PDB file of all heavy atoms in Angstrom:
ATOM      1  N   GLY A   1      36.596   8.360  -0.176  1.00  0.00           N
ATOM      2  CA  GLY A   1      35.713   9.351  -0.803  1.00  0.00           C
ATOM      3  C   GLY A   1      34.948   8.768  -1.967  1.00  0.00           C
ATOM      4  O   GLY A   1      33.748   9.021  -2.152  1.00  0.00           O
ATOM      5  N   ALA A   2      35.646   7.992  -2.787  1.00  0.00           N
ATOM      6  CA  ALA A   2      34.984   7.373  -3.937  1.00  0.00           C
ATOM      7  C   ALA A   2      33.913   6.388  -3.475  1.00  0.00           C
ATOM      8  O   ALA A   2      32.799   6.337  -4.020  1.00  0.00           O
ATOM      9  CB  ALA A   2      36.011   6.674  -4.821  1.00  0.00           C
ATOM     10  N   LEU A   3      34.224   5.603  -2.462  1.00  0.00           N
ATOM     11  CA  LEU A   3      33.275   4.631  -1.935  1.00  0.00           C
ATOM     12  C   LEU A   3      32.061   5.326  -1.333  1.00  0.00           C
ATOM     13  O   LEU A   3      30.916   4.926  -1.568  1.00  0.00           O
ATOM     14  CB  LEU A   3      33.958   3.746  -0.892  1.00  0.00           C
ATOM     15  CG  LEU A   3      33.127   2.618  -0.297  1.00  0.00           C
ATOM     16  CD1 LEU A   3      32.623   1.697  -1.402  1.00  0.00           C
ATOM     17  CD2 LEU A   3      33.929   1.840   0.715  1.00  0.00           C
ATOM     18  N   ALA A   4      32.299   6.400  -0.605  1.00  0.00           N
ATOM     19  CA  ALA A   4      31.186   7.150  -0.018  1.00  0.00           C
ATOM     20  C   ALA A   4      30.304   7.740  -1.098  1.00  0.00           C
ATOM     21  O   ALA A   4      29.070   7.750  -0.992  1.00  0.00           O
ATOM     22  CB  ALA A   4      31.720   8.246   0.897  1.00  0.00           C
ATOM     23  N   GLY A   5      30.896   8.220  -2.165  1.00  0.00           N
ATOM     24  CA  GLY A   5      30.106   8.774  -3.269  1.00  0.00           C
ATOM     25  C   GLY A   5      29.255   7.726  -3.944  1.00  0.00           C
ATOM     26  O   GLY A   5      28.089   7.957  -4.279  1.00  0.00           O
ATOM     27  N   VAL A   6      29.819   6.549  -4.165  1.00  0.00           N
ATOM     28  CA  VAL A   6      29.059   5.466  -4.791  1.00  0.00           C
ATOM     29  C   VAL A   6      27.907   5.037  -3.898  1.00  0.00           C
ATOM     30  O   VAL A   6      26.772   4.861  -4.349  1.00  0.00           O
ATOM     31  CB  VAL A   6      29.985   4.269  -5.113  1.00  0.00           C
ATOM     32  CG1 VAL A   6      29.186   3.039  -5.477  1.00  0.00           C
ATOM     33  CG2 VAL A   6      30.948   4.635  -6.213  1.00  0.00           C
ATOM     34  N   LEU A   7      28.194   4.893  -2.616  1.00  0.00           N
ATOM     35  CA  LEU A   7      27.143   4.467  -1.692  1.00  0.00           C
ATOM     36  C   LEU A   7      26.055   5.525  -1.558  1.00  0.00           C
ATOM     37  O   LEU A   7      24.873   5.199  -1.469  1.00  0.00           O
ATOM     38  CB  LEU A   7      27.727   4.137  -0.320  1.00  0.00           C
ATOM     39  CG  LEU A   7      28.599   2.889  -0.262  1.00  0.00           C
ATOM     40  CD1 LEU A   7      29.212   2.740   1.129  1.00  0.00           C
ATOM     41  CD2 LEU A   7      27.820   1.655  -0.636  1.00  0.00           C
ATOM     42  N   ALA A   8      26.435   6.772  -1.545  1.00  0.00           N
ATOM     43  CA  ALA A   8      25.449   7.837  -1.386  1.00  0.00           C
ATOM     44  C   ALA A   8      24.533   7.946  -2.596  1.00  0.00           C
ATOM     45  O   ALA A   8      23.347   8.225  -2.471  1.00  0.00           O
ATOM     46  CB  ALA A   8      26.148   9.171  -1.148  1.00  0.00           C
ATOM     47  N   THR A   9      25.041   7.711  -3.752  1.00  0.00           N
ATOM     48  CA  THR A   9      24.206   7.841  -4.950  1.00  0.00           C
ATOM     49  C   THR A   9      23.621   6.520  -5.399  1.00  0.00           C
ATOM     50  O   THR A   9      22.589   6.491  -6.049  1.00  0.00           O
ATOM     51  CB  THR A   9      25.011   8.441  -6.115  1.00  0.00           C
ATOM     52  OG1 THR A   9      26.120   7.584  -6.399  1.00  0.00           O
ATOM     53  CG2 THR A   9      25.481   9.833  -5.800  1.00  0.00           C
ATOM     54  N   GLY A  10      24.237   5.426  -5.029  1.00  0.00           N
ATOM     55  CA  GLY A  10      23.779   4.132  -5.526  1.00  0.00           C
ATOM     56  C   GLY A  10      22.756   3.458  -4.636  1.00  0.00           C
ATOM     57  O   GLY A  10      21.965   2.654  -5.099  1.00  0.00           O
ATOM     58  N   CYS A  11      22.740   3.740  -3.365  1.00  0.00           N
ATOM     59  CA  CYS A  11      21.815   3.078  -2.448  1.00  0.00           C
ATOM     60  C   CYS A  11      20.543   3.894  -2.315  1.00  0.00           C
ATOM     61  O   CYS A  11      20.583   5.097  -2.129  1.00  0.00           O
ATOM     62  CB  CYS A  11      22.443   2.915  -1.064  1.00  0.00           C
ATOM     63  SG  CYS A  11      23.764   1.695  -1.054  1.00  0.00           S
ATOM     64  N   GLY A  12      19.452   3.240  -2.389  1.00  0.00           N
ATOM     65  CA  GLY A  12      18.174   3.895  -2.181  1.00  0.00           C
ATOM     66  C   GLY A  12      17.612   4.530  -3.425  1.00  0.00           C
ATOM     67  O   GLY A  12      16.452   4.875  -3.472  1.00  0.00           O
ATOM     68  N   ALA A  13      18.383   4.691  -4.458  1.00  0.00           N
ATOM     69  CA  ALA A  13      17.857   5.286  -5.686  1.00  0.00           C
ATOM     70  C   ALA A  13      17.193   4.183  -6.490  1.00  0.00           C
ATOM     71  O   ALA A  13      17.783   3.128  -6.698  1.00  0.00           O
ATOM     72  CB  ALA A  13      18.965   5.941  -6.482  1.00  0.00           C
ATOM     73  N   PRO A  14      15.977   4.398  -6.957  1.00  0.00           N
ATOM     74  CA  PRO A  14      15.311   3.349  -7.719  1.00  0.00           C
ATOM     75  C   PRO A  14      15.988   3.152  -9.062  1.00  0.00           C
ATOM     76  O   PRO A  14      16.485   4.093  -9.670  1.00  0.00           O
ATOM     77  CB  PRO A  14      13.886   3.866  -7.893  1.00  0.00           C
ATOM     78  CG  PRO A  14      13.973   5.343  -7.689  1.00  0.00           C
ATOM     79  CD  PRO A  14      15.146   5.572  -6.798  1.00  0.00           C
ATOM     80  N   ALA A  15      16.018   1.923  -9.487  1.00  0.00           N
ATOM     81  CA  ALA A  15      16.578   1.609 -10.797  1.00  0.00           C
ATOM     82  C   ALA A  15      15.594   2.048 -11.866  1.00  0.00           C
ATOM     83  O   ALA A  15      14.388   2.024 -11.680  1.00  0.00           O
ATOM     84  CB  ALA A  15      16.842   0.109 -10.893  1.00  0.00           C
ATOM     85  N   ALA A  16      16.124   2.415 -12.987  1.00  0.00           N
ATOM     86  CA  ALA A  16      15.264   2.844 -14.095  1.00  0.00           C
ATOM     87  C   ALA A  16      14.721   1.608 -14.786  1.00  0.00           C
ATOM     88  O   ALA A  16      15.433   0.926 -15.507  1.00  0.00           O
ATOM     89  CB  ALA A  16      16.048   3.708 -15.068  1.00  0.00           C
ATOM     90  N   THR A  17      13.463   1.278 -14.526  1.00  0.00           N
ATOM     91  CA  THR A  17      12.857   0.095 -15.125  1.00  0.00           C
ATOM     92  C   THR A  17      11.779   0.450 -16.120  1.00  0.00           C
ATOM     93  O   THR A  17      11.205  -0.420 -16.743  1.00  0.00           O
ATOM     94  CB  THR A  17      12.236  -0.801 -14.045  1.00  0.00           C
ATOM     95  OG1 THR A  17      11.213  -0.056 -13.384  1.00  0.00           O
ATOM     96  CG2 THR A  17      13.274  -1.263 -13.041  1.00  0.00           C
ATOM     97  N   GLY A  18      11.472   1.700 -16.220  1.00  0.00           N
ATOM     98  CA  GLY A  18      10.395   2.104 -17.111  1.00  0.00           C
ATOM     99  C   GLY A  18       9.055   2.135 -16.389  1.00  0.00           C
ATOM    100  O   GLY A  18       8.104   2.707 -16.859  1.00  0.00           O
ATOM    101  N   ALA A  19       8.977   1.477 -15.254  1.00  0.00           N
ATOM    102  CA  ALA A  19       7.730   1.468 -14.481  1.00  0.00           C
ATOM    103  C   ALA A  19       7.788   2.578 -13.444  1.00  0.00           C
ATOM    104  O   ALA A  19       8.846   3.121 -13.154  1.00  0.00           O
ATOM    105  CB  ALA A  19       7.553   0.119 -13.791  1.00  0.00           C
ATOM    106  N   ASP A  20       6.673   2.891 -12.900  1.00  0.00           N
ATOM    107  CA  ASP A  20       6.623   3.906 -11.860  1.00  0.00           C
ATOM    108  C   ASP A  20       7.152   3.291 -10.575  1.00  0.00           C
ATOM    109  O   ASP A  20       6.472   2.522  -9.917  1.00  0.00           O
ATOM    110  CB  ASP A  20       5.172   4.380 -11.671  1.00  0.00           C
ATOM    111  CG  ASP A  20       5.067   5.468 -10.615  1.00  0.00           C
ATOM    112  OD1 ASP A  20       6.100   6.043 -10.241  1.00  0.00           O
ATOM    113  OD2 ASP A  20       3.936   5.737 -10.180  1.00  0.00           O
ATOM    114  N   ASP A  21       8.396   3.587 -10.251  1.00  0.00           N
ATOM    115  CA  ASP A  21       9.043   3.008  -9.083  1.00  0.00           C
ATOM    116  C   ASP A  21       8.913   3.877  -7.849  1.00  0.00           C
ATOM    117  O   ASP A  21       9.512   3.590  -6.833  1.00  0.00           O
ATOM    118  CB  ASP A  21      10.533   2.779  -9.361  1.00  0.00           C
ATOM    119  CG  ASP A  21      10.740   1.629 -10.324  1.00  0.00           C
ATOM    120  OD1 ASP A  21       9.871   0.744 -10.369  1.00  0.00           O
ATOM    121  OD2 ASP A  21      11.763   1.627 -11.022  1.00  0.00           O
ATOM    122  N   THR A  22       8.188   4.951  -7.932  1.00  0.00           N
ATOM    123  CA  THR A  22       8.083   5.828  -6.777  1.00  0.00           C
ATOM    124  C   THR A  22       7.216   5.176  -5.723  1.00  0.00           C
ATOM    125  O   THR A  22       6.234   4.508  -6.017  1.00  0.00           O
ATOM    126  CB  THR A  22       7.487   7.189  -7.169  1.00  0.00           C
ATOM    127  OG1 THR A  22       6.195   6.965  -7.728  1.00  0.00           O
ATOM    128  CG2 THR A  22       8.373   7.919  -8.153  1.00  0.00           C
ATOM    129  N   HIS A  23       7.611   5.352  -4.515  1.00  0.00           N
ATOM    130  CA  HIS A  23       6.850   4.807  -3.388  1.00  0.00           C
ATOM    131  C   HIS A  23       6.054   5.941  -2.782  1.00  0.00           C
ATOM    132  O   HIS A  23       6.614   6.943  -2.369  1.00  0.00           O
ATOM    133  CB  HIS A  23       7.793   4.191  -2.349  1.00  0.00           C
ATOM    134  CG  HIS A  23       8.591   3.062  -2.897  1.00  0.00           C
ATOM    135  ND1 HIS A  23       8.033   1.858  -3.221  1.00  0.00           N
ATOM    136  CD2 HIS A  23       9.899   2.966  -3.209  1.00  0.00           C
ATOM    137  CE1 HIS A  23       8.966   1.060  -3.697  1.00  0.00           C
ATOM    138  NE2 HIS A  23      10.114   1.705  -3.701  1.00  0.00           N
ATOM    139  N   THR A  24       4.777   5.777  -2.757  1.00  0.00           N
ATOM    140  CA  THR A  24       3.932   6.800  -2.176  1.00  0.00           C
ATOM    141  C   THR A  24       3.136   6.196  -1.038  1.00  0.00           C
ATOM    142  O   THR A  24       2.886   5.004  -0.996  1.00  0.00           O
ATOM    143  CB  THR A  24       2.951   7.384  -3.216  1.00  0.00           C
ATOM    144  OG1 THR A  24       2.141   6.314  -3.709  1.00  0.00           O
ATOM    145  CG2 THR A  24       3.686   8.049  -4.357  1.00  0.00           C
ATOM    146  N   THR A  25       2.749   7.025  -0.142  1.00  0.00           N
ATOM    147  CA  THR A  25       1.915   6.594   0.964  1.00  0.00           C
ATOM    148  C   THR A  25       0.493   6.434   0.447  1.00  0.00           C
ATOM    149  O   THR A  25      -0.020   7.319  -0.231  1.00  0.00           O
ATOM    150  CB  THR A  25       1.943   7.645   2.089  1.00  0.00           C
ATOM    151  OG1 THR A  25       3.293   7.857   2.468  1.00  0.00           O
ATOM    152  CG2 THR A  25       1.130   7.194   3.273  1.00  0.00           C
ATOM    153  N   PRO A  26      -0.130   5.289   0.708  1.00  0.00           N
ATOM    154  CA  PRO A  26      -1.504   5.109   0.224  1.00  0.00           C
ATOM    155  C   PRO A  26      -2.441   6.104   0.893  1.00  0.00           C
ATOM    156  O   PRO A  26      -2.173   6.559   2.006  1.00  0.00           O
ATOM    157  CB  PRO A  26      -1.842   3.674   0.621  1.00  0.00           C
ATOM    158  CG  PRO A  26      -0.897   3.333   1.710  1.00  0.00           C
ATOM    159  CD  PRO A  26       0.332   4.177   1.500  1.00  0.00           C
ATOM    160  N   PRO A  27      -3.520   6.416   0.215  1.00  0.00           N
ATOM    161  CA  PRO A  27      -4.474   7.341   0.829  1.00  0.00           C
ATOM    162  C   PRO A  27      -5.067   6.706   2.080  1.00  0.00           C
ATOM    163  O   PRO A  27      -5.099   5.489   2.213  1.00  0.00           O
ATOM    164  CB  PRO A  27      -5.544   7.528  -0.249  1.00  0.00           C
ATOM    165  CG  PRO A  27      -5.406   6.350  -1.143  1.00  0.00           C
ATOM    166  CD  PRO A  27      -3.970   5.927  -1.066  1.00  0.00           C
ATOM    167  N   PRO A  28      -5.520   7.512   3.001  1.00  0.00           N
ATOM    168  CA  PRO A  28      -6.099   6.946   4.219  1.00  0.00           C
ATOM    169  C   PRO A  28      -7.296   6.058   3.871  1.00  0.00           C
ATOM    170  O   PRO A  28      -8.088   6.381   2.996  1.00  0.00           O
ATOM    171  CB  PRO A  28      -6.523   8.162   5.036  1.00  0.00           C
ATOM    172  CG  PRO A  28      -6.405   9.345   4.153  1.00  0.00           C
ATOM    173  CD  PRO A  28      -5.586   8.956   2.963  1.00  0.00           C
ATOM    174  N   ALA A  29      -7.359   4.956   4.536  1.00  0.00           N
ATOM    175  CA  ALA A  29      -8.442   4.001   4.277  1.00  0.00           C
ATOM    176  C   ALA A  29      -9.755   4.556   4.804  1.00  0.00           C
ATOM    177  O   ALA A  29      -9.817   5.170   5.859  1.00  0.00           O
ATOM    178  CB  ALA A  29      -8.135   2.668   4.956  1.00  0.00           C
ATOM    179  N   THR A  30     -10.785   4.308   4.030  1.00  0.00           N
ATOM    180  CA  THR A  30     -12.104   4.682   4.511  1.00  0.00           C
ATOM    181  C   THR A  30     -12.553   3.612   5.486  1.00  0.00           C
ATOM    182  O   THR A  30     -12.110   2.474   5.418  1.00  0.00           O
ATOM    183  CB  THR A  30     -13.112   4.784   3.346  1.00  0.00           C
ATOM    184  OG1 THR A  30     -13.151   3.526   2.679  1.00  0.00           O
ATOM    185  CG2 THR A  30     -12.709   5.873   2.378  1.00  0.00           C
ATOM    186  N   SER A  31     -13.403   3.973   6.373  1.00  0.00           N
ATOM    187  CA  SER A  31     -13.845   2.997   7.357  1.00  0.00           C
ATOM    188  C   SER A  31     -14.672   1.923   6.655  1.00  0.00           C
ATOM    189  O   SER A  31     -15.480   2.217   5.782  1.00  0.00           O
ATOM    190  CB  SER A  31     -14.644   3.677   8.459  1.00  0.00           C
ATOM    191  OG  SER A  31     -15.684   4.437   7.911  1.00  0.00           O
ATOM    192  N   PRO A  32     -14.428   0.672   7.007  1.00  0.00           N
ATOM    193  CA  PRO A  32     -15.150  -0.426   6.358  1.00  0.00           C
ATOM    194  C   PRO A  32     -16.638  -0.374   6.705  1.00  0.00           C
ATOM    195  O   PRO A  32     -17.039   0.198   7.701  1.00  0.00           O
ATOM    196  CB  PRO A  32     -14.494  -1.682   6.930  1.00  0.00           C
ATOM    197  CG  PRO A  32     -13.888  -1.245   8.216  1.00  0.00           C
ATOM    198  CD  PRO A  32     -13.536   0.211   8.049  1.00  0.00           C
ATOM    199  N   ALA A  33     -17.400  -0.997   5.840  1.00  0.00           N
ATOM    200  CA  ALA A  33     -18.836  -1.069   6.085  1.00  0.00           C
ATOM    201  C   ALA A  33     -19.077  -1.878   7.359  1.00  0.00           C
ATOM    202  O   ALA A  33     -18.332  -2.802   7.659  1.00  0.00           O
ATOM    203  CB  ALA A  33     -19.535  -1.740   4.911  1.00  0.00           C
ATOM    204  N   PRO A  34     -20.082  -1.522   8.113  1.00  0.00           N
ATOM    205  CA  PRO A  34     -20.356  -2.296   9.329  1.00  0.00           C
ATOM    206  C   PRO A  34     -20.758  -3.718   8.953  1.00  0.00           C
ATOM    207  O   PRO A  34     -21.308  -3.950   7.865  1.00  0.00           O
ATOM    208  CB  PRO A  34     -21.521  -1.543   9.973  1.00  0.00           C
ATOM    209  CG  PRO A  34     -22.132  -0.748   8.875  1.00  0.00           C
ATOM    210  CD  PRO A  34     -21.046  -0.463   7.894  1.00  0.00           C
ATOM    211  N   PRO A  35     -20.459  -4.674   9.800  1.00  0.00           N
ATOM    212  CA  PRO A  35     -20.815  -6.058   9.484  1.00  0.00           C
ATOM    213  C   PRO A  35     -22.331  -6.215   9.382  1.00  0.00           C
ATOM    214  O   PRO A  35     -23.085  -5.501  10.025  1.00  0.00           O
ATOM    215  CB  PRO A  35     -20.251  -6.863  10.651  1.00  0.00           C
ATOM    216  CG  PRO A  35     -20.047  -5.879  11.749  1.00  0.00           C
ATOM    217  CD  PRO A  35     -19.851  -4.536  11.111  1.00  0.00           C
ATOM    218  N   ALA A  36     -22.727  -7.155   8.552  1.00  0.00           N
ATOM    219  CA  ALA A  36     -24.152  -7.425   8.375  1.00  0.00           C
ATOM    220  C   ALA A  36     -24.708  -8.023   9.668  1.00  0.00           C
ATOM    221  O   ALA A  36     -24.012  -8.754  10.366  1.00  0.00           O
ATOM    222  CB  ALA A  36     -24.363  -8.388   7.223  1.00  0.00           C
ATOM    223  N   PRO A  37     -25.956  -7.715   9.967  1.00  0.00           N
ATOM    224  CA  PRO A  37     -26.569  -8.319  11.156  1.00  0.00           C
ATOM    225  C   PRO A  37     -26.594  -9.846  11.020  1.00  0.00           C
ATOM    226  O   PRO A  37     -26.699 -10.373   9.910  1.00  0.00           O
ATOM    227  CB  PRO A  37     -27.993  -7.752  11.157  1.00  0.00           C
ATOM    228  CG  PRO A  37     -27.957  -6.564  10.271  1.00  0.00           C
ATOM    229  CD  PRO A  37     -26.855  -6.800   9.290  1.00  0.00           C
ATOM    230  N   PRO A  38     -26.498 -10.561  12.132  1.00  0.00           N
ATOM    231  CA  PRO A  38     -26.431 -12.025  12.058  1.00  0.00           C
ATOM    232  C   PRO A  38     -27.645 -12.652  11.381  1.00  0.00           C
ATOM    233  O   PRO A  38     -27.516 -13.666  10.697  1.00  0.00           O
ATOM    234  CB  PRO A  38     -26.304 -12.469  13.513  1.00  0.00           C
ATOM    235  CG  PRO A  38     -26.667 -11.287  14.332  1.00  0.00           C
ATOM    236  CD  PRO A  38     -26.449 -10.079  13.502  1.00  0.00           C
ATOM    237  N   GLU A  39     -28.824 -12.042  11.525  1.00  0.00           N
ATOM    238  CA  GLU A  39     -29.990 -12.644  10.871  1.00  0.00           C
ATOM    239  C   GLU A  39     -29.912 -12.521   9.348  1.00  0.00           C
ATOM    240  O   GLU A  39     -30.444 -13.363   8.628  1.00  0.00           O
ATOM    241  CB  GLU A  39     -31.303 -12.070  11.406  1.00  0.00           C
ATOM    242  CG  GLU A  39     -31.469 -10.583  11.280  1.00  0.00           C
ATOM    243  CD  GLU A  39     -30.902  -9.798  12.447  1.00  0.00           C
ATOM    244  OE1 GLU A  39     -30.208 -10.353  13.310  1.00  0.00           O
ATOM    245  OE2 GLU A  39     -31.168  -8.586  12.481  1.00  0.00           O
ATOM    246  N   ASP A  40     -29.219 -11.485   8.837  1.00  0.00           N
ATOM    247  CA  ASP A  40     -29.022 -11.362   7.392  1.00  0.00           C
ATOM    248  C   ASP A  40     -28.081 -12.441   6.883  1.00  0.00           C
ATOM    249  O   ASP A  40     -28.320 -13.055   5.839  1.00  0.00           O
ATOM    250  CB  ASP A  40     -28.460  -9.987   7.021  1.00  0.00           C
ATOM    251  CG  ASP A  40     -29.460  -8.858   7.209  1.00  0.00           C
ATOM    252  OD1 ASP A  40     -30.645  -9.149   7.498  1.00  0.00           O
ATOM    253  OD2 ASP A  40     -29.052  -7.689   7.078  1.00  0.00           O
ATOM    254  N   LEU A  41     -26.999 -12.669   7.615  1.00  0.00           N
ATOM    255  CA  LEU A  41     -26.057 -13.721   7.220  1.00  0.00           C
ATOM    256  C   LEU A  41     -26.717 -15.089   7.299  1.00  0.00           C
ATOM    257  O   LEU A  41     -26.542 -15.926   6.409  1.00  0.00           O
ATOM    258  CB  LEU A  41     -24.810 -13.669   8.102  1.00  0.00           C
ATOM    259  CG  LEU A  41     -23.998 -12.386   8.018  1.00  0.00           C
ATOM    260  CD1 LEU A  41     -22.871 -12.406   9.035  1.00  0.00           C
ATOM    261  CD2 LEU A  41     -23.452 -12.186   6.619  1.00  0.00           C
ATOM    262  N   CYS A  42     -27.474 -15.311   8.347  1.00  0.00           N
ATOM    263  CA  CYS A  42     -28.206 -16.568   8.502  1.00  0.00           C
ATOM    264  C   CYS A  42     -29.145 -16.777   7.321  1.00  0.00           C
ATOM    265  O   CYS A  42     -29.187 -17.858   6.738  1.00  0.00           O
ATOM    266  CB  CYS A  42     -28.976 -16.544   9.821  1.00  0.00           C
ATOM    267  SG  CYS A  42     -30.117 -17.923  10.079  1.00  0.00           S
ATOM    268  N   THR A  43     -29.871 -15.733   6.954  1.00  0.00           N
ATOM    269  CA  THR A  43     -30.824 -15.834   5.847  1.00  0.00           C
ATOM    270  C   THR A  43     -30.119 -16.224   4.561  1.00  0.00           C
ATOM    271  O   THR A  43     -30.587 -17.099   3.822  1.00  0.00           O
ATOM    272  CB  THR A  43     -31.575 -14.497   5.663  1.00  0.00           C
ATOM    273  OG1 THR A  43     -32.291 -14.207   6.862  1.00  0.00           O
ATOM    274  CG2 THR A  43     -32.533 -14.550   4.496  1.00  0.00           C
ATOM    275  N   ARG A  44     -28.987 -15.583   4.298  1.00  0.00           N
ATOM    276  CA  ARG A  44     -28.258 -15.876   3.058  1.00  0.00           C
ATOM    277  C   ARG A  44     -27.783 -17.314   3.008  1.00  0.00           C
ATOM    278  O   ARG A  44     -27.932 -17.998   2.006  1.00  0.00           O
ATOM    279  CB  ARG A  44     -27.079 -14.925   2.913  1.00  0.00           C
ATOM    280  CG  ARG A  44     -27.504 -13.527   2.514  1.00  0.00           C
ATOM    281  CD  ARG A  44     -26.373 -12.542   2.408  1.00  0.00           C
ATOM    282  NE  ARG A  44     -25.198 -13.060   1.750  1.00  0.00           N
ATOM    283  CZ  ARG A  44     -23.983 -12.576   1.925  1.00  0.00           C
ATOM    284  NH1 ARG A  44     -23.789 -11.559   2.736  1.00  0.00           N
ATOM    285  NH2 ARG A  44     -22.957 -13.096   1.287  1.00  0.00           N
TER     286      ARG A  44
END
């Protein structure tokens, strides 16, 4: 029982480091800009 209690509370809980340790899902990525036409890249 003691071991189960330690494992249940000790595993997966972030350590207190003073930093924001929360894990959040990043916002959905916006679609990237379309690639430049080859003649634009050639020109550059």
Side-chain angles (χ1 to χ4, degrees):
L3 184 58
V6 168
L7 291 175
T9 60
C11 290
T17 61
D20 181 15
D21 288 334
T22 59
H23 299 290
T24 59
T25 304
T30 58
S31 53
E39 58 272 9
D40 290 353
L41 298 174
C42 172
T43 299
R44 286 178 43 203

